[in-house]
Amino acid sequence: NAGVTQTPKFRVLKTGQSMTLLCAQDMNHEYMYWYRQDPGMGLRLIHYSVGEGTTAKGEVPDGYNVSRLKKQNFLLGLESAAPSQTSVYFCASISAGEEETQYFGPGTRLLVL
Amino acid sequence: AQSVTQLDSHVSVSEGTPVLLRCNYSSSYSPSLFWYVQHPNKGLQLLLKYTSAATLVKGINGFEAEFKKSETSFHLTKPSAHMSDAAEYFCVVSDRRSKTDTGRRALTFGSGTRLQVQP
C-alpha cells in the first residue's frame, strides 16, 4: 500500500513549456485534490474531483487543467507554464464515507524560468 | 465560506518549555478542524483532528488541541517542546458540512506558524 504518490518529484520548465503532473492513489478513494503551496502561505486548492470522470475548479484554477480518467489517477496539466506557477504541488485524496482525513502525497517541486 | 487565521507567523520556545500555537476559525456550520505539521522540504503530516466528538483532541508526539466553539478557536499545545518539533504548523478547516455531506470536502489552510525550538 503506497498511499498517495506523485510524479515527478522535481522539474524545471522554461516559460511557455507544458507538462503534466501525475498523482496516483491505491486506497480506492473517491475524492482527489490538487493544491499548491507558496512561501509564507498555506496550501491553496487548484482543482478537485469527487469521482472518476468528474473534475471541478478550486480557488486558484487559472492556467491549469485536470483529468480523472481512472479512479486511481488525477492529472494536473500546465499548458503554457509561467514563472508565477513556480510552486510546490501537493496531491491529496479521501474516501467517500465518514472518513475525514485527507492523505497527502510527498509533493512536486516545480520551477518555471 | 470558512476561513482560518493563525495568529502568529513565528513562535520561538526553549526546549522543555510549553508550546502554544494559536488558531481561530470562521465557519457558518460546525466545522472539522485539523492541525498538520510540515518539516523542512517534507510533505504534510496529520497531527490531530476534531470532527465533532470530544472537544479536547489528543494527537501524535504529545500534541493536543481544544475546540472552543464560543471562542471559535482551536489552539495547539504541547507541555514540553523537543528539538524535533521545530517545523511549520498549519491549522486547517474542512468545508464538509456533515458526515453525509457529498460536497467537495476540500481543506482551507491557515498561513502557517513556524515553530523554532532553542536548545
Side-chain angles (χ1 to χ4, degrees):
Chain A
N1 191 333
V4 180
T5 59
Q6 294 183 229
T7 309
K9 288 185 171 55
F10 176 70
R11 183 78 181 268
V12 179
L13 288 180
K14 294 181 179 179
T15 297
Q17 286 185 317
S18 63
M19 79 163 294
T20 300
L21 282 66
L22 170 64
C23 175
Q25 51 92 7
D26 59 2
M27 297 172 283
N28 201 36
H29 284 171
E30 295 292 333
Y31 293 70
M32 296 187 74
Y33 307 83
W34 276 108
Y35 295 88
R36 61 177 287 175
Q37 183 181 27
D38 300 299
M41 303 178 72
L43 278 65
R44 292 181 293 167
L45 182 66
I46 305 171
H47 285 281
Y48 66 99
S49 168
V50 300
E52 182 179 328
T54 70
T55 63
K57 295 180 179 180
E59 272 70 66
V60 289
D62 293 342
Y64 305 95
N65 56 75
V66 288
S67 64
R68 184 97 181 269
L69 299 179
K70 294 182 178 180
K71 186 177 183 180
Q72 63 268 34
N73 295 338
F74 194 30
L75 279 63
L76 178 71
L78 285 73
E79 289 186 350
S80 180
S84 61
Q85 295 178 303
T86 293
S87 188
V88 181
Y89 293 85
F90 287 96
C91 177
S93 72
I94 54 173
S95 63
E98 291 194 6
E99 173 64 37
E100 183 72 64
T101 308
Q102 290 204 356
Y103 294 84
F104 284 87
T108 294
R109 191 173 296 272
L110 177 65
L111 175 61
V112 183
L113 301 175
Chain B
Q2 68 278 7
S3 65
V4 174
T5 302
Q6 291 184 243
L7 300 168
D8 307 292
S9 59
H10 183 256
V11 170
S12 182
V13 301
S14 298
E15 190 175 21
T17 64
V19 175
L20 170 63
L21 304 183
R22 298 182 295 165
C23 171
N24 287 115
Y25 70 91
S26 172
S27 177
S28 55
Y29 44 88
S30 185
S32 294
L33 293 159
F34 308 80
W35 277 97
Y36 282 85
V37 61
Q38 185 178 36
H39 288 89
N41 299 314
K42 299 290 186 182
L44 292 155
Q45 181 182 21
L46 178 67
L47 277 179
L48 50 81
K49 63 180 179 180
Y50 165 77
T51 54
S52 74
T55 56
L56 182 61
V57 183
K58 293 188 184 299
I60 62 172
N61 300 336
F63 284 95
E64 62 181 39
E66 186 172 8
F67 173 72
K68 292 187 176 181
K69 187 174 182 178
S70 60
E71 298 176 11
T72 61
S73 68
F74 191 57
H75 301 334
L76 181 71
T77 61
K78 183 174 181 178
S80 177
H82 192 273
M83 295 296 290
S84 61
D85 294 329
E88 188 91 16
Y89 291 79
F90 293 98
C91 183
V92 180
V93 62
S94 166
D95 64 9
R96 188 182 194 186
R97 295 172 179 266
S98 69
K99 290 187 176 180
T100 56
D101 178 25
T102 57
R104 69 178 199 174
R105 298 172 64 184
L107 301 180
T108 298
F109 282 72
S111 55
T113 297
R114 182 166 298 277
L115 176 64
Q116 190 175 24
V117 182
Q118 307 286 357

